[in-house]
Amino acid sequence: MGSDVLTERAWGSTSTSDPSSTRTTNGAHGLRTASDATLPDPTPIIPYWSAKRHLTCGNAGPRSSSARLFPWRGSAPGKLKTANAALVLCLNIDVDPPDIIKTNPCAALECWVNPHSLPSHKALEAIGSNLQHQFEGLSLKIPYKPILDPSYEDLRRFCITLRKQAKDETVCFYYNGHGVPKPTPSGELWCFNRNYTQYIPVSLMEVQTWLGSPGVYIWDCSAAGHLLSNFITFAERRDQDAFTTRGGYADGMQPYINSLQLAACATHEQLPTCPELPADVFTSCLTSPIDIALRYFIMTHHLPNNITPDMVMQLPGDLKDRRTPLGELNWIFTAITDTIAWTTFPRDVFTRLYRSDLLIASLFRNFLLAERIMKNYHCTPHTYPPLPATNTHQLWAAWDLALDTCLRQLPELLAKTPGAPNNPPSPIIGTGARSGHISQRGSSGAPNTEKPYQYVPSRFFTDQLTAFEVWISRGGSALTKRGPLSLPLQNGGDRCDTPDVINGTTAPDADLVPRKPPDQLPIVLQVLLSQPHRLRALILLSQFVDLGPWAVNLVLTIGIFPYISKLLQAAGQDLRPVLIFIWARILAVDPSVQVDLYNTGGFKYFANVLATQEDNELPNSSEHKAMCAFILSAVARDFYNGQMACWRERVFDACSERLEEGDFLLRQWSALCIAQIWDSNDEVKVYGVDRGIQDKLILMLSDDSPEVRSAVLYALSTFMGAAGGKGQGGAGTGTQYQLEERIHFRMEVAVATGATLAVRDDASPMVRKELLVLISCLVREWRGHFVVCAWMYWEEDRRWRAGEPHTHYHHVEEEVTAQALAEWLDGFGDDEGSREENRVLLSSFFTIFVVLMELTIDPYHEVATLAQTVMDYIFALLLASPFAKLNLVPPLPVDHKPAVANGVHSRVSSAQGSPLIQHPPSPSLSRPSNTLRRTSSFANTLRHLAGGIPFPSSDEVRAPPSPVPPSLSRSDIFAASRPPSPNFNVAQYASPYSRPPTPLRDKERDLISPPVSPTAGTATFLPSHVMEALVEEDMVRLRARRREGANGRRSAGSGPGHAGSSTGGGLNSPCESTFSMDSNVSNVPLGCGTGNGLRDVLPLKSSFFAWCCEYFTEPQMRQTEADEPGSVQYNYQVWRQQRNEQVITETQKQAVVAESSRWDRPVANLHVNNHPLCMAMHAYDPHLVIANDNDMISVWDWTQRKRLNYFCNGNPKGTSITSLHIINQDVGGIIMTGAADGIVRLYRNYDPTVNQGPLQMVSSFRALHELIRVRRGSGLVLDWKQSGGTLLVGGDSRIIRVWDAHTETQVLDLETNCDSPVTSITSDQGSSSTFIVGFADGLVKVFDRRLEEEDAIVRSYHDHHSWIQNTKYHPRISGQFLSASLAGEVRLWDLRGSDTAAQAWDLHHTGLSAFDVHSQTGVFATTSALTPANFRHQRLMVHSISDSSPLSTLSLPTGLNAYPSRPPTPYIPRHTSFAFHPMEMLYAVGQPDGSVKITGCKLT
């Protein structure tokens, strides 16, 4: 009882709604054992940018061998399904065969009938009738034909008739040869002539010819091995001849070798003649196992004296009633034999024999008993295929115990059973046998309204469930090395699946595999049939399938599916949570069961749960409803019938209601379920538009959870035509016949525009990837509009490259685009509404186009690759369009490189000059990016097209500094020249041209010329004509889509794969564009069927749904490996926590002494490449991270003076790293960099000594979009607050943006109300919402994030008059902070005091270079600026905040031979770098010559 409570507790817990969590918490997650209490409990520390989405970016992990599911349905080659059976009895009663010498006494019973107690013909009929009843007890659905003492002709006729009736299915042939001679060594069995005067031999070759294939053959006779071995020989000969002469068999016919055989004994053996056993002991074991098992038990075991064999055979009950003694024994016997077979036989053999056909499964299950009994009488039963011996399996002891427990109650049972002593044996039944056939035992003559006896049920199933529970609770999830105690290989060949490694690397435990599954698994399956044990069995099964896909596969192989399907019809509320859990795991591993759920109507079970409004009816309601949404989405995925069934059951409406739930997992799966239901389904899309679902989804793009935002974009993408399943996708939003044509057009544009503006600046690359899929759908359907935008952008780009904007050429070019747009709009006549509508729509397309251009240079490689695929497709269409025939677009030389000013070019002026946005409809549509890199111009796009794969040009990727240090090999140089790649960098570039993309080296790529534009003499058409034609072509495509939909384009598919293949009405690919056939609406002399020969690479395919499905293959009921006490990861984190606490304790003691001690103790000297600009020291690990002026980042172990890593940040040439932080220091560390291009990049696994895998980019995003051009900027200034997961971003911008690491979204933008750049940001590491900002003009402002935007600036200080180098809070006194300017002034401010400084220091009259404050002790440090008069040495002062005199003054050599005329980067106005250690009494100083000195405090 206690174990039941323990396991059921898993279903009463609550789920978490934290969007940053990787899983929801289940009840078993919270259980703690007594051993756990002895371990230190780590403080809950939230590591940011460490969730699964950051390690995979929405890419499904590589599937292990679990992707190759074992055919658990029995669909393996050679599947057998029995159609009918021939029961051939050759007994010839009263006449013994000549080669058999019988003992006296001798076994006589045949089918429990004594043939000598009746006349021979009646006895034969009784035996045949009993045999038929015994076989019917195995399977009632099969017709059985007794063939009694047949002649050769009768046998031949019956066999041929059976094969005709069975067609291609299996025929069962039972042969009892007890009355004829033994089979011959040549493979002949015997029957009779018509007069029964001769034995007639029948060759197995003839039997095979009559019965065909496949078949099941049972040989019950002495020397039966002759038949088995010769049958195999003949079958192999027939199969070889068939494959040699005819190339195989006709469809539906199986090879003869696929037939199954069961033989009673070997070739040299004779059947037992023991008088206590029936003569047909082999048949009795196969067809009446409980009777023969009871008889055998009383023969071999000592029972109490009051139990006789006659009493045993009167055991009351019904075989089909598990509540009776006889039925319970039959139930236990089935469970034991199933378990013996499953634990002994190979997986494919078990599935074929025990899970394909009921009769075959019963025969082979009972064969195990025959082997056990007959081997004790020197008979060895055989089978084909041959099976390992099972007669000594340990579970037979459990069977003997169950029999003993039952029989010891027999005297009392018979005494309380009315009429039991008055049941005399039937005259045709042998001594000791009971009356009635196998299916009904011990029936009383009179009805009895009361329970006839009180039977104490066996504890067999309870004990087996307890053993199963012990296996799970005592390390069932543990991994082990390959061996006898590990999960067996599938069929001895395929490797079993192992848990996926998140980081995609070979972990130290990669060679470990799951443990050998518990032997009780098939028994648990049998317990599902019992109402009292069902809930406990289901809970244990759910805990088992939670171990991973391998466990689900095992459960399916054993045969749980029919049972779990029937349980969906149960009305019990207590089964709901566990059934939902198990079904979610099954569908996550094998989605093909969607057809079964549809055919049986089982999906309605989950639809009802999802639609219920009462949360109290279901424990942990939100999580289980999310599972239901997943199950229903799997039913609808790529399956039209499933989509329509879910729609009719109002699943679509239920999901739309759940979009506003508080649990992020439920919101996520509700959106994904909507995506799968309306994927390529016009009817459901119409239904969704009528209810405004697309607008509701767009509003959800501000959701706190990145997973939800991605799911919403996925749903919008499938709405816009992306493929949710295996299809290519296309056809936009379908027909939308209820909408007018223009409204339909505006709706598609509005959906894409709204989504683009909502998430274009999202910090999650996973969200940006899904946005690109959505944009690709719009590009595919409205490619003409995008070609127009590309041409106008190209013209604008040419104007910028041509020179100054006031030249005559510029005015001519401006007139071209302006005039083309004006002429195109003039084509709408005097209808101002149409003119404005089309101008606004084209402006929307241009906005999306500009965002797409920005995404082509996204810092996250996958996003950039996908965006380049879409953009190159557009430009390829532009090259193939009539625009290319205008002499306004001359071909561009491949080696052309646009000029770049500091790597960043402002797009404000050129965008404002575009005729598209002279009258912007809204501010958001009128402001394209002003940070677009010029390396993304059309010239570089041509380079991408020429090379097949877009490789960065030579000026996009920073090379390592020269000269190369000796420690770097050539491979190191190449690796360091590119930024680290994300973990699952699986996005592949797809070229718009037919040549498949292959990676080319730079030299090869330069040798390939770009596609040549079509040359035409003098075009007779104008740009406005081309615009008109391209736009009209898009409308023709829309009309064709709507027309075909109205004419019944949809053909309802009957199975999976029939949905998701809609093709958009024949105008899908560019080469199918047919506007040239309908050109009467335009005066364009050439047809505008653009893009002939281009590959149909759009829309893009998303892997997000598959990634989300992985959630339901991961353990939910137990802690992750890192949280599991005793695991390597857990022990490591416990050690780190204890080590960190020790560091904190020691440094707190040192901090008091350090305020009055000298800071000149040498610790270490390092030498780095080039000029160290920014430095950051790890608080607990001996790591120093340095960024140099070549944007290379190096990680050092300063205690060992050893460089651990060296890599490139990847920011554009002309920019530099301006901020450097280490986050998540408590649990390891992630390097965060901010560069002057406005990009934040994060890197993990920078320490190779801990074997966490290769260095990887975790994430990257544009932290500031609106960088302004200033003469002297600060780049990007970051401040990271670990306690709240807040990132403050400022710099060359008039705003300070607050990012939330939990949600990866911008929380708010605060106006600085200052024209100068932000030079420093400092936030309090406590719970305060205030932060301090320093500016280039000397202002220092205090912001409070809790206030409204206009009131956020709470204090302003004006004492400084030059660039604020840094601001820091007082480490000891709350409410005070320090600031320092380049003029050498250091000020101490009190937030509660006046606007004047509380204390001032003027330390460096020639100027200040660096300033920092130690975070633990009241000490700050400054370094002097380099001047022409003093540049060889630099003065460093360490000063106490509470004392006026400095603690230490050092003169440090700079290593310079000449005064540098300017700083190493325009964004950092200093020549040296300085950083205090966050905890220890240390600091690091970086000098221009690359030397880094680490110095400490003299504490003694």
Side-chain angles (χ1 to χ4, degrees):
M1 183 65 186
S3 59
D4 284 350
V5 173
L6 180 65
T7 52
E8 290 177 27
R9 201 177 303 167
W11 306 103
S13 61
T14 59
S15 69
T16 178
S17 298
D18 181 11
S20 64
S21 65
T22 58
R23 66 183 77 251
T24 49
T25 327
N26 225 315
H29 224 130
L31 296 179
R32 295 194 59 192
T33 61
S35 60
D36 296 343
T38 61
L39 295 170
D41 210 5
T43 306
I45 300 171
I46 301 177
Y48 299 98
W49 280 288
S50 301
K52 181 185 176 182
R53 66 176 182 269
H54 301 112
L55 309 182
T56 61
C57 195
N59 295 308
R63 295 294 298 271
S64 54
S65 61
S66 61
R68 301 188 304 273
L69 279 178
F70 190 82
W72 55 270
R73 298 175 186 271
S75 57
K79 177 184 178 181
L80 303 175
K81 182 180 180 182
T82 309
N84 48 31
L87 309 180
V88 180
L89 291 167
C90 295
L91 296 179
N92 197 16
I93 297 175
D94 297 333
V95 178
D96 294 336
D99 59 347
I100 298 295
I101 299 177
K102 295 185 177 181
T103 61
N104 190 16
C106 181
L109 296 180
E110 298 279 353
C111 297
W112 304 107
V113 175
N114 189 343
H116 306 295
S117 62
L118 291 173
S120 59
H121 66 283
K122 290 189 176 180
L124 184 61
E125 292 177 356
I127 292 172
S129 176
N130 266 17
L131 181 63
Q132 181 177 353
H133 287 320
Q134 290 175 198
F135 269 94
E136 287 174 347
L138 302 181
S139 178
L140 277 172
K141 297 180 179 180
I142 300 173
Y144 301 93
K145 177 64 178 176
I147 304 175
L148 309 178
D149 287 349
S151 64
Y152 176 87
E153 293 79 9
D154 292 339
L155 182 63
R156 177 179 179 276
R157 185 179 71 253
F158 280 125
C159 289
I160 293 176
T161 302
L162 286 174
R163 171 45 63 192
K164 288 182 180 179
Q165 294 173 350
K167 298 181 180 178
D168 293 332
E169 294 182 342
T170 305
V171 173
C172 178
F173 183 81
Y174 167 85
Y175 174 75
N176 183 326
H178 295 176
V180 294
K182 292 185 287 187
T184 65
S186 59
E188 294 173 317
L189 52 85
W190 301 89
C191 61
F192 309 96
N193 63 357
R194 288 195 176 277
N195 298 324
Y196 296 96
T197 59
Q198 291 181 343
Y199 298 111
I200 307 298
V202 181
S203 173
L204 281 180
M205 289 286 287
E206 296 180 280
V207 176
Q208 288 179 346
T209 303
W210 300 340
L211 292 176
S213 177
V216 179
Y217 297 87
I218 304 171
W219 313 116
D220 189 357
C221 57
S222 297
H226 285 310
L227 297 177
L228 185 143
S229 58
N230 282 282
F231 187 97
I232 297 173
T233 302
F234 297 152
E236 291 175 344
R237 187 181 307 164
R238 282 177 177 272
D239 294 339
Q240 185 175 1
D241 292 343
F243 281 98
T244 302
T245 59
R246 303 189 301 273
Y249 292 102
D251 292 340
M253 185 174 180
Q254 298 185 23
Y256 283 88
I257 200 65
N258 281 357
S259 298
L260 306 178
Q261 299 183 75
L262 299 99
C265 57
T267 56
H268 60 281
E269 295 175 346
Q270 185 171 333
L271 293 179
T273 58
C274 177
E276 287 84 3
L277 294 176
D280 62 343
V281 60
F282 186 63
T283 300
S284 298
C285 290
L286 295 182
T287 58
S288 54
I290 304 303
D291 286 334
I292 190 66
L294 288 169
R295 182 179 288 263
Y296 176 74
F297 184 79
I298 62 175
M299 291 170 56
T300 56
H301 292 77
H302 296 287
L303 292 173
N305 295 331
N306 57 345
I307 300 178
T308 64
D310 289 341
M311 295 171 61
V312 170
M313 300 313 294
Q314 295 297 322
L315 183 68
D318 186 346
L319 284 175
K320 299 185 182 303
D321 188 355
R322 291 183 295 272
R323 295 169 298 180
T324 63
L326 197 62
E328 185 183 60
L329 284 179
N330 187 52
W331 185 27
I332 294 174
F333 177 80
T334 301
I336 287 179
T337 51
D338 245 14
T339 304
I340 292 175
W342 183 72
T343 56
T344 307
F345 302 156
R347 195 67 44 78
D348 57 340
V349 174
F350 175 83
T351 303
R352 183 169 179 239
L353 299 182
Y354 292 87
R355 292 300 179 262
S356 60
D357 181 79
L358 180 59
L359 176 63
I360 296 173
S362 300
L363 290 173
F364 277 87
R365 190 183 296 122
N366 300 340
F367 173 81
L368 306 183
L369 177 67
E371 182 185 28
R372 186 191 188 208
I373 293 177
M374 298 182 70
K375 279 190 174 181
N376 288 319
Y377 295 93
H378 309 290
C379 263
T380 307
H382 284 70
T383 64
Y384 185 82
L387 299 175
T390 60
N391 58 302
T392 58
H393 197 280
Q394 57 187 4
L395 271 178
W396 286 120
W399 170 243
D400 292 339
L401 177 62
L403 287 176
D404 185 88
T405 304
C406 178
L407 292 180
R408 288 184 183 275
Q409 302 181 60
L410 186 58
E412 184 180 355
L413 290 176
L414 293 179
K416 294 184 179 180
T417 302
N422 300 324
N423 286 341
S426 171
I428 68 169
I429 303 295
T431 304
R434 67 173 73 78
S435 61
H437 60 76
I438 194 73
S439 62
Q440 184 68 35
R441 306 300 177 95
S443 57
S444 58
N448 191 9
T449 57
E450 297 182 0
K451 191 173 183 179
Y453 52 84
Q454 293 293 331
Y455 173 67
V456 180
S458 171
R459 287 189 51 84
F460 171 79
F461 289 105
T462 302
D463 294 341
Q464 296 300 320
L465 287 180
T466 302
F468 188 79
E469 185 177 11
V470 168
W471 186 91
I472 291 178
S473 62
R474 296 295 183 267
S477 61
L479 303 178
T480 185
K481 291 186 176 181
R482 180 76 63 191
L485 297 181
S486 67
L487 182 68
L489 297 175
Q490 293 184 359
N491 307 330
D494 297 335
R495 290 185 63 84
C496 67
D497 60 326
T498 55
D500 293 333
V501 183
I502 285 293
N503 59 15
T505 60
T506 303
D509 59 349
D511 58 338
L512 301 181
V513 295
R515 290 174 57 196
K516 181 181 178 181
D519 293 346
Q520 295 79 17
L521 195 54
I523 298 175
V524 175
L525 178 66
Q526 289 292 325
V527 178
L528 295 179
L529 301 172
S530 170
Q531 178 67 31
H533 300 93
R534 182 172 296 159
L535 179 59
R536 185 186 179 196
L538 283 174
I539 292 176
L540 291 175
L541 269 179
S542 68
Q543 294 175 350
F544 182 74
V545 299
D546 188 57
L547 298 179
W550 64 270
V552 178
N553 197 6
L554 279 181
V555 169
L556 290 175
T557 305
I558 287 173
I560 190 180
F561 192 75
Y563 298 84
I564 209 74
S565 297
K566 291 180 181 178
L567 287 178
L568 293 179
Q569 304 171 4
Q573 298 287 332
D574 55 341
L575 300 182
R576 273 187 173 186
V578 65
L579 281 177
I580 293 170
F581 187 91
I582 293 176
W583 270 103
R585 265 61 193 170
I586 291 175
L587 275 161
V589 173
D590 187 1
S592 67
V593 300
Q594 62 176 173
V595 180
D596 302 88
L597 280 178
Y598 169 76
N599 292 334
T600 62
F603 71 95
K604 298 179 181 178
Y605 184 91
F606 307 103
N608 293 333
V609 174
L610 183 62
T612 183
Q613 300 294 332
E614 291 77 12
D615 291 344
N616 54 2
E617 293 183 2
L618 191 66
N620 204 2
S621 174
S622 295
E623 185 174 359
H624 287 99
K625 287 181 179 179
M627 294 182 194
C628 290
F630 159 68
I631 293 169
L632 294 167
S633 66
V635 171
R637 189 184 192 195
D638 223 8
F639 186 24
Y640 176 74
N641 289 339
Q643 290 176 331
M644 300 308 293
C646 289
W647 182 35
R648 287 190 293 268
E649 288 297 317
R650 303 189 65 81
V651 174
F652 192 86
D653 295 324
C655 288
S656 65
E657 295 173 1
R658 298 288 175 261
L659 291 175
E660 300 175 356
E661 290 285 341
D663 190 283
F664 87 98
L665 191 66
L666 180 53
R667 299 196 305 274
Q668 172 187 341
W669 277 106
S670 297
L672 292 174
C673 188
I674 289 175
Q676 295 299 341
I677 294 176
W678 70 13
D679 174 32
S680 301
N681 193 312
D682 288 354
E683 297 95 320
V684 183
K685 287 183 180 179
V686 169
Y687 182 82
V689 170
D690 288 343
R691 281 148 185 79
I693 301 300
Q694 77 280 6
D695 296 330
K696 189 174 184 179
L697 289 172
I698 291 176
L699 293 176
M700 290 184 62
L701 290 174
S702 59
D703 195 277
D704 286 342
S705 168
E707 289 87 351
V708 174
R709 298 197 298 275
S710 298
V712 168
L713 286 171
Y714 182 87
L716 290 173
S717 298
T718 57
F719 175 69
M720 293 288 289
K726 299 177 181 178
Q728 172 63 28
T733 58
T735 60
Q736 298 298 331
Y737 52 80
Q738 83 284 12
L739 301 178
E740 296 179 4
E741 182 181 289
R742 296 295 298 181
I743 296 177
H744 187 180
F745 174 28
R746 292 201 303 268
M747 179 197 68
E748 292 192 356
V749 178
V751 168
T753 305
T756 301
L757 296 176
V759 298
R760 58 180 291 190
D761 297 328
D762 201 289
S764 173
M766 182 174 68
V767 177
R768 302 198 298 273
K769 278 174 53 180
E770 295 306 312
L771 173 63
L772 279 170
V773 177
L774 174 61
I775 293 177
S776 71
C777 297
L778 190 74
V779 172
R780 188 181 195 275
E781 298 305 319
W782 302 98
R783 58 182 75 106
H785 286 76
F786 280 99
V787 170
V788 172
C789 293
W791 173 73
M792 304 189 84
Y793 181 88
W794 164 244
E795 290 298 326
E796 174 198 334
D797 191 76
R798 283 211 310 157
R799 289 201 309 273
W800 176 80
R801 287 199 306 271
E804 294 298 324
H806 298 292
T807 62
H808 173 72
Y809 178 77
H810 170 77
H811 290 293
V812 172
E813 295 299 326
E814 187 174 10
E815 289 175 1
V816 171
T817 53
Q819 182 178 358
L821 181 60
E823 290 176 355
W824 175 65
L825 293 176
D826 288 342
F828 298 99
D830 297 332
D831 189 350
E832 288 296 331
S834 296
R835 291 168 58 91
E836 180 64 17
E837 178 192 40
N838 283 276
R839 194 197 60 74
V840 171
L841 287 172
L842 191 57
S843 178
S844 298
F845 278 106
F846 194 79
T847 300
I848 297 174
F849 179 83
V850 171
V851 172
L852 186 59
M853 288 290 289
E854 294 172 359
L855 292 175
T856 60
I857 56 168
D858 193 274
Y860 202 83
H861 183 268
E862 273 198 288
V863 179
T865 300
L866 296 176
Q868 287 166 0
T869 296
V870 181
M871 184 57 68
D872 288 359
Y873 178 83
I874 296 173
F875 279 127
L877 289 174
L878 175 63
L879 288 175
S881 72
F883 278 124
K885 299 181 182 297
L886 297 171
N887 53 12
L888 300 173
V889 186
L892 197 68
V894 179
D895 58 352
H896 173 82
K897 291 184 175 65
V900 182
N902 294 332
V904 181
H905 172 65
S906 174
R907 304 294 301 164
V908 174
S909 59
S910 58
Q912 290 176 348
S914 171
L916 285 178
I917 45 180
Q918 291 174 354
H919 305 285
S922 67
S924 59
L925 292 180
S926 66
R927 192 171 58 186
S929 168
N930 58 0
T931 59
L932 189 62
R933 284 168 46 193
R934 300 308 312 162
T935 50
S936 282
S937 68
F938 187 49
N940 210 38
T941 303
L942 287 178
R943 294 178 61 86
H944 296 337
L945 292 176
I949 279 188
F951 280 83
S953 60
S954 58
D955 62 340
E956 288 183 81
V957 176
R958 303 302 307 274
S962 181
V964 180
S967 59
L968 279 182
S969 64
R970 286 192 171 271
S971 59
D972 295 330
I973 296 170
F974 182 78
S977 64
R978 297 176 184 271
S981 174
N983 183 20
F984 286 169
N985 190 16
V986 300
Q988 295 292 327
Y989 170 80
S991 171
Y993 296 108
S994 57
R995 182 182 71 244
T998 53
L1000 302 177
R1001 293 186 295 270
D1002 291 339
K1003 292 183 179 179
E1004 293 174 344
R1005 188 167 63 252
D1006 291 338
L1007 294 175
I1008 301 176
S1009 60
V1012 180
S1013 302
T1015 56
T1018 303
T1020 59
F1021 52 88
L1022 299 175
S1024 60
H1025 296 158
V1026 183
M1027 293 175 62
E1028 177 187 356
L1030 290 172
V1031 170
E1032 182 60 26
E1033 185 185 18
D1034 285 348
M1035 297 307 298
V1036 169
R1037 192 178 299 106
L1038 175 63
R1039 295 185 193 110
R1041 189 206 313 169
R1042 292 167 60 87
R1043 182 169 59 250
E1044 292 203 7
N1047 293 336
R1049 172 183 60 82
R1050 159 69 66 187
S1051 61
S1054 59
H1058 291 280
S1061 58
S1062 58
T1063 58
L1067 287 174
N1068 262 334
S1069 63
C1071 58
E1072 296 171 356
S1073 188
T1074 56
F1075 181 67
S1076 56
M1077 301 177 184
D1078 187 22
S1079 59
N1080 56 349
V1081 296
S1082 175
N1083 58 354
V1084 179
L1086 298 174
C1088 288
T1090 58
N1092 290 325
L1094 295 185
R1095 293 174 59 200
D1096 201 10
V1097 297
L1098 301 184
L1100 300 174
K1101 287 278 290 184
S1102 172
S1103 60
F1104 180 72
F1105 186 85
W1107 178 80
C1108 292
C1109 292
E1110 288 183 347
Y1111 173 85
F1112 296 104
T1113 65
E1114 299 165 355
Q1116 306 295 325
M1117 291 188 182
R1118 61 182 176 90
Q1119 300 180 102
T1120 59
E1121 188 73 9
D1123 298 328
E1124 189 70 36
S1127 67
V1128 175
Q1129 296 95 320
Y1130 182 89
N1131 291 342
Y1132 176 69
Q1133 289 302 330
V1134 169
W1135 171 83
R1136 283 194 65 93
Q1137 178 183 340
Q1138 295 175 345
R1139 191 274 314 267
N1140 297 350
E1141 292 174 352
Q1142 182 179 0
V1143 169
I1144 294 173
T1145 302
E1146 292 177 356
T1147 54
Q1148 285 177 347
K1149 297 177 182 177
Q1150 296 172 1
V1152 179
V1153 181
E1155 289 191 20
S1156 57
S1157 301
R1158 296 183 57 81
W1159 288 70
D1160 54 3
R1161 176 176 60 88
V1163 176
N1165 290 329
L1166 310 174
H1167 189 82
V1168 302
N1169 300 317
N1170 296 86
H1171 196 140
L1173 290 183
C1174 299
M1175 297 190 300
M1177 301 186 77
H1178 197 289
Y1180 307 106
D1181 296 329
H1183 294 161
L1184 172 63
V1185 182
I1186 304 172
N1188 65 19
D1189 57 341
N1190 276 338
D1191 307 320
M1192 303 298 295
I1193 299 173
S1194 57
V1195 182
W1196 293 77
D1197 184 335
W1198 52 266
T1199 59
Q1200 303 292 329
R1201 297 171 178 81
K1202 176 184 177 183
R1203 193 177 69 186
L1204 302 176
N1205 224 316
Y1206 185 64
F1207 58 94
C1208 177
N1209 189 52
N1211 46 288
K1213 186 177 181 180
T1215 64
S1216 60
I1217 300 173
T1218 54
S1219 290
L1220 186 65
H1221 294 270
I1222 304 176
I1223 70 172
N1224 299 342
Q1225 299 187 35
D1226 292 287
V1227 295
I1230 290 179
I1231 297 175
M1232 174 190 288
T1233 66
D1237 59 350
I1239 303 296
V1240 171
R1241 298 170 175 86
L1242 299 106
Y1243 306 98
R1244 66 190 289 260
N1245 298 345
Y1246 60 83
D1247 183 5
T1249 61
V1250 295
N1251 297 323
Q1252 292 179 337
L1255 176 70
Q1256 295 165 357
M1257 176 183 287
V1258 180
S1259 182
S1260 56
F1261 59 96
R1262 189 175 296 279
L1264 271 186
H1265 206 78
E1266 306 299 334
L1267 293 178
I1268 57 177
R1269 292 292 303 275
V1270 293
R1271 185 181 61 84
R1272 187 182 179 188
S1274 59
L1276 196 68
V1277 180
L1278 306 179
D1279 180 77
W1280 168 251
K1281 187 171 183 177
Q1282 183 74 38
S1283 60
T1286 303
L1287 180 65
L1288 303 176
V1289 182
D1292 295 339
S1293 175
R1294 292 185 176 88
I1295 63 170
I1296 295 175
R1297 182 160 293 169
V1298 183
W1299 292 89
D1300 186 359
H1302 285 283
T1303 63
E1304 296 185 66
T1305 56
Q1306 56 187 58
V1307 180
L1308 76 160
D1309 289 347
L1310 299 176
E1311 292 285 346
T1312 62
N1313 296 336
C1314 184
D1315 293 333
S1316 297
V1318 173
T1319 59
S1320 69
I1321 306 177
T1322 303
S1323 60
D1324 187 359
Q1325 293 304 313
S1327 59
S1328 174
S1329 298
T1330 60
F1331 59 92
I1332 303 164
V1333 179
F1335 294 89
D1337 59 358
L1339 272 176
V1340 178
K1341 297 184 179 183
V1342 181
F1343 289 76
D1344 192 333
R1345 294 194 290 118
R1346 297 168 296 182
L1347 303 178
E1348 296 294 333
E1349 182 178 339
E1350 58 274 10
D1351 301 326
I1353 302 176
V1354 294
R1355 299 293 295 269
S1356 294
Y1357 302 98
H1358 304 272
D1359 278 16
H1360 292 292
H1361 301 288
S1362 61
W1363 182 292
I1364 300 298
Q1365 188 65 288
N1366 205 352
T1367 55
K1368 289 287 184 178
Y1369 272 95
H1370 196 295
R1372 294 285 190 178
I1373 303 175
S1374 175
Q1376 293 187 2
F1377 70 94
L1378 292 91
S1379 63
S1381 69
L1382 290 182
E1385 305 165 342
V1386 179
R1387 298 287 186 268
L1388 174 65
W1389 311 91
D1390 193 332
L1391 293 174
R1392 297 155 296 188
S1394 64
D1395 291 341
T1396 58
Q1399 192 172 351
W1401 296 267
D1402 191 1
L1403 301 177
H1404 302 284
H1405 299 286
T1406 59
L1408 177 143
S1409 178
F1411 168 77
D1412 198 11
V1413 178
H1414 200 286
S1415 59
Q1416 301 298 320
T1417 184
V1419 170
F1420 68 87
T1422 61
T1423 59
S1424 63
L1426 301 185
T1427 63
N1430 189 8
F1431 61 87
R1432 298 183 185 277
H1433 291 81
Q1434 186 178 34
R1435 188 184 183 196
L1436 183 147
M1437 299 181 65
V1438 180
H1439 213 290
S1440 173
I1441 301 177
S1442 59
D1443 196 354
S1444 58
S1445 59
L1447 300 177
S1448 294
T1449 301
L1450 300 170
S1451 179
L1452 304 177
T1454 62
L1456 296 177
N1457 296 322
Y1459 175 72
S1461 59
R1462 56 184 178 181
T1465 172
Y1467 300 98
I1468 300 178
R1470 52 181 167 79
H1471 293 84
T1472 58
S1473 54
F1474 182 93
F1476 269 117
H1477 194 285
M1479 300 299 299
E1480 298 185 32
M1481 305 302 122
L1482 300 172
Y1483 61 86
V1485 183
Q1487 295 295 340
D1489 61 349
S1491 63
V1492 176
K1493 300 181 184 300
I1494 301 176
T1495 310
C1497 176
K1498 291 183 178 179
L1499 300 173
T1500 56

